[in-house]
Each structure stands twice: as C-alpha cells, then as structure tokens.
Amino acid sequence: MILLRHRFGFFSLATATMVAVFSASGAGTATADQWSQFRGSRMDGVAEPTHPIRWDESENVAWKVDIPGEGWSCPVVWDDRVFVTSAVPIDTAGADSATEPEAYRGGGGRLRDDLTEVTYRWEVFCLDAESGRTLWRQTAREGRPTIPRHSSNTYATETPVTDGQHVYAYFGMMGLYCFDFDGQLIWSKDFGSYDMRAGWGTSSSPILFGEQLFLQIDNDEQSFLVAVDKATGEENWRVDRDEKSQYSSPIIWSNRERDELIVGGMVYRSYDPQTGKQLWQLDMDKGRSSATPLAIGDRLYVGTEFRNRGGADDGGGFLFAIKPGGSGDLTPSGDVTESEWVQWKMPRSGIQMASPVACQGYLYLLERRSGVVHCVNAETGQEVYRFRLPGARAFWASPWTSGDKVFCVDTGGTTYVLSAGPEFEVVATNEIDQQTWSSPAVVDGAIYFRTASTLYCIRN
C-alpha cells in the first residue's frame, strides 16, 4: 500500500519558538537523569543524547537477562537500580495452553478466561544497572487473577514508578504494592476488581507527583480516579468518572499557570492534583483512549484512536493542542478547529496505541497495525509527512527521542531510528528478533529494552 506524502517546507519563527520550548520543558519535580515512571521522569519520552543509535542482539549489548513470567510493563531506573515487574505462572493446570502472551500480527487473538484458573505470583525484580545481576526478587501477591485477559495482554502490563526510596508496583485489578529499596513490603492497597471491556485486561500505569500517587482505574463497572499518599497508601481523594474501559495513563502538565492532572477518555479531563477538582473537559467525539497524552511546556497534546467497528465508541481520531489556563468545557463548537484554549484540532491524526513524542518542533505518531509514521507540525497541526516504515510490523510500544533522533520499536523488536525534521529519513534499523510491546527505559547512556522474555542493557 502506497501512502501519500505531504510536505510543508517552511520553518516559521513560531515553530522555532516551539523548539526552544521543547528543549526547556519539564514536569514538576521530575529528575532529568532518572527514568522513574512510564515514558520517563518528565513523562515525555525524551532521553539524553548519549546512547547508541545502532545495536542488535550482540552489538552494543552490555548484558541481557531472562525475566520469567509475562509482562509488558516497562522497566524503570533510579541511579544503579533497574526495576521490572512480571506475572509468573506457578500452576498452569487450569490453562488450555501456554500462558505467555501471544504475538500480535495485525489482528486475531482471543479471550483467555481459562487463565483465571492459573495460580500466579506477581513479582517485582530489582537488578543492578551495571551488570544485570538480580539484587532482589519479591512476590507482591500470589493467587489467581480476578479477571480474564486478552491473549495479547499480560497480567503485568502497568509500569511501576519509583521515587528513589521506594518502588510502587501496580498490577491492575490485583492491587498496588510499595517496596523499599531493600525489597521489603511497606504497604499494599486493594482498589477492588471490575470487569474490563471484552475481557481485554488492564494497562493504565500509575504516576507519582509530589507526595501522591495517581491511578486511573477506568473499567466497565465503576470508573474512578484516585490519589493515594505515597508513604502510607491511604486515599487522599477519589472522584468518579463517567467513562468505560480506557487504557491510557494520566500525566502531570506543569504549565505557566498551574499543575494539572490530565486523564484520557472519550472526554479528556483536567483535575487539580491536590483536591481532585475538575478544571476543564474536552469532548473527543468518542474513539478509544490508549495513547498517553503529551505535555511540552505550555502545550498539551491529546487524542483518541479512530474507531469504526460498530461500537459505542465509534468516532475519534482527533488530535488537539491545548493552551494553559482553561476552565469549563473547552470543546470547540461545530466545525471550529480552534478556540480560546484549543490551539488546533487535527482530524484523522494517526494517533492509536503508541503515545506521541515531540522532537525539533514536530510531533511523531505511530499507527498500530500498518507500520505508518505521521509527522505533524507541533505549532500548526499540519501533517508534514506520512510514510510506512519499510518492513515494520505493528507499533504498540511508545517511541522516544534523543537529540535529533526519534526511536520507534515495532512488535518484532526492530527499532527504526528517524532523523527529526520535515524530511522522512531512516538513519538506522536495529533488530532484536523477539516479540516486543514494552517501551524501553533510556537513561545515563543506556537503553533498557524489554522483550517478551529478556531484558537487554544496550550501551556503547
């Protein structure tokens, strides 16, 4: 299939200003030289430009270790420690086949309700970042899953988060667990178990900001957003949400006006992180919220995946650029593509499962099944190009950026390295021939790359 390429060859002063904003952006008290949560400590997928741009299963591999069990959760890194979670089956007598997640090749899959008869250990691993040696391995919970899952999902898909003293491991309907850096369980919290859409399972990761952890627990029964004290696990506040099952993770948007807790859905909402009070909402015209929003300085980019399958969520596909300071309903009326608080609205943007990244004044979005990358002018919302990456499979992992490069990992473990800018250029293709849905952690010159069975440390 040949896709059209669109170019807007100018590079305006406004775009140059956006590049400067991108370079200076941060989020709250996040530490730049750690990778403490999903998409990094700033929750933007931006890494320091010191790691290799070429590797394979042996080149530039410092170490690799097998991780037992199943998990699409991403590794997180603090100083010399790498943390990763896994659901390890210890009694598979109740399953009709192997329990590891099945490869995704653009469709298919099935509901694995038989796995609710399998006994699992939900485990947290702490590894030495230099050598890959296991420092400790602790079981958070042992028992049977409380809900089924899709064959391509896992029971350890949510990424943990760390503050340098504790690691907080969330396993969806199986609870939240706090361990110290010596591997001692400090507290745990059970939020209940609720049915997910079509039994697909869960994936939304917790985030940490200040002294609180935030969890988006959207489901088909009783969706809610909750803030818990990181020291004790006690709830500080909880708000109900008028949403069904969603799969994106919340982020903190620290802009010139205030700190905002941004939560995805068919209606995007902003909350006060301290109180849970809703600040504004934006109707996305349905669609599915799988990609996590992106905040770059004073711009917030949010979108939902276009759906056209005869379901209640048919619609969506829009990408919005939001300005700070809004309140109430920000939804543009009718065909209006911008408003006081909406800088632009882009239809059929290509946003799907992978979260977007920004680099050199451009946004990059990956289609889920087709291997297509979209490049969008971050200031104007105009599509700069749209290309299929040669040989690419589906994209589920979120890309990251380093310097003037964009790194995109497909489900077959191949990483496509793009040169940022208005011209489509693949500068490297790095192959690790293993099923990969997890987004890497990238810090201190190293890439911690998780496949279905192995964790690699890639560095010069």
Side-chain angles (χ1 to χ4, degrees):
M1 178 179 178
I2 299 175
L3 296 173
L4 295 177
R5 178 179 186 178
H6 305 281
R7 288 193 186 141
F8 299 89
F10 57 88
F11 189 77
S12 66
L13 177 61
T15 303
T17 302
M18 284 295 290
V19 172
V21 171
F22 288 2
S23 300
S25 65
T29 58
T31 305
D33 56 353
Q34 312 291 352
W35 199 273
S36 62
Q37 55 193 342
F38 178 57
R39 309 202 74 209
S41 296
R42 295 182 299 264
M43 296 169 281
D44 57 6
V46 176
E48 298 298 320
T50 55
H51 69 69
I53 65 168
R54 298 184 185 277
W55 64 86
D56 57 26
E57 293 190 36
S58 58
E59 181 185 4
N60 283 327
V61 173
W63 52 259
K64 60 181 179 180
V65 295
D66 290 338
I67 303 295
E70 61 179 50
W72 293 134
S73 59
C74 309
V76 297
V77 184
W78 192 282
D79 290 340
D80 59 351
R81 298 185 181 220
V82 182
F83 300 95
V84 67
T85 62
S86 184
V88 182
I90 59 174
D91 173 15
T92 60
D96 62 12
S97 63
T99 61
E100 65 269 13
E102 297 170 9
Y104 186 86
R105 292 293 181 263
R110 59 196 175 101
L111 175 66
R112 294 300 306 270
D113 53 359
D114 60 300
L115 295 182
T116 58
E117 301 301 316
V118 174
T119 301
Y120 282 84
R121 289 194 185 108
W122 282 268
E123 297 190 347
V124 181
F125 295 77
C126 176
L127 308 179
D128 178 75
E130 181 66 25
S131 67
R133 178 173 61 90
T134 298
L135 301 177
W136 52 261
R137 171 182 177 180
Q138 293 290 1
T139 298
R141 173 181 175 137
E142 181 175 323
R144 294 179 176 179
T146 60
I147 60 172
R149 65 160 173 81
H150 191 268
S151 59
S152 58
N153 201 354
T154 74
Y155 283 122
T157 296
E158 297 80 10
T159 297
V161 58
T162 179
D163 60 2
Q165 296 181 316
H166 299 90
V167 58
Y168 306 89
Y170 179 53
F171 295 101
M173 302 307 175
M174 271 57 79
L176 173 66
Y177 303 85
C178 170
F179 291 88
D180 67 18
F181 267 34
D182 292 324
Q184 298 301 309
L185 180 66
I186 304 302
W187 55 258
S188 62
K189 181 77 173 179
D190 185 349
F191 296 99
S193 182
Y194 309 95
D195 289 338
M196 296 295 293
R197 178 179 179 179
W200 286 341
T202 61
S203 68
S204 181
S205 299
I207 63 166
L208 179 65
F209 183 70
E211 302 304 308
Q212 297 190 105
L213 287 157
F214 302 96
L215 296 95
Q216 175 185 349
I217 305 178
D218 288 348
N219 55 79
D220 273 17
E221 295 184 63
Q222 183 184 328
S223 295
F224 58 95
L225 177 68
V226 62
V228 302
D229 186 292
K230 73 173 188 177
T232 66
E234 296 298 316
E235 290 189 18
N236 289 336
W237 54 257
R238 178 190 290 218
V239 294
D240 292 335
R241 284 172 45 78
D242 185 19
E243 294 282 349
K244 295 295 185 181
S245 299
Q246 304 291 343
Y247 303 92
S248 56
S249 300
I251 67 165
I252 294 292
W253 180 24
S254 292
N255 55 61
R256 66 172 181 264
E257 300 286 341
R258 61 200 175 196
D259 297 321
E260 302 183 38
L261 176 62
I262 307 299
V263 184
M266 287 196 290
V267 176
Y268 256 82
R269 295 175 176 90
S270 167
Y271 301 87
D272 182 337
Q274 300 307 315
T275 66
K277 177 185 177 182
Q278 184 173 310
L279 303 175
W280 55 258
Q281 67 179 38
L282 175 68
D283 193 327
M284 306 300 291
D285 194 21
K286 301 186 178 181
R288 185 167 65 192
S289 181
S290 298
T292 293
L294 174 67
I296 302 292
D298 280 342
R299 290 296 177 269
L300 173 70
Y301 301 97
V302 301
T304 57
E305 177 182 0
F306 175 73
R307 302 287 290 173
N308 184 25
R309 298 194 174 184
D313 60 353
D314 275 7
F318 295 100
L319 183 67
F320 290 83
I322 310 299
K323 296 177 279 189
S327 62
D329 191 349
L330 308 190
T331 310
S333 59
D335 294 331
V336 177
T337 59
E338 60 182 73
S339 65
E340 182 180 5
W341 306 115
V342 175
Q343 181 172 346
W344 49 256
K345 173 184 176 183
M346 178 186 182
R348 297 296 181 101
S349 63
I351 191 169
Q352 294 187 0
M353 301 294 284
S355 305
V357 291
C359 191
Q360 304 288 310
Y362 299 93
L363 302 173
Y364 294 85
L365 305 99
L366 303 175
E367 291 190 16
R368 178 159 46 115
R369 293 186 176 89
S370 61
V372 170
V373 58
H374 296 248
C375 176
V376 176
N377 185 303
E379 177 70 13
T380 65
Q382 293 176 305
E383 187 173 75
V384 179
Y385 66 70
R386 180 180 64 201
F387 269 123
R388 181 189 299 277
L389 288 164
R393 296 178 177 175
F395 286 105
W396 291 73
S398 294
W400 77 93
T401 69
S402 178
D404 61 353
K405 303 292 188 297
V406 181
F407 296 76
C408 311
V409 184
D410 76 4
T411 57
T414 298
T415 304
Y416 297 84
V417 185
L418 309 181
S419 180
E423 299 294 327
F424 175 74
E425 180 186 6
V426 180
V427 298
T429 302
N430 305 318
E431 295 186 9
I432 292 180
D433 188 19
Q434 295 185 32
Q435 186 187 1
T436 306
W437 283 20
S438 178
S439 305
V442 190
V443 64
D444 196 25
I447 304 165
Y448 299 90
F449 190 103
R450 184 181 191 177
T451 70
S453 61
T454 307
L455 179 66
Y456 291 79
C457 175
I458 298 165
R459 61 172 174 244
N460 288 316

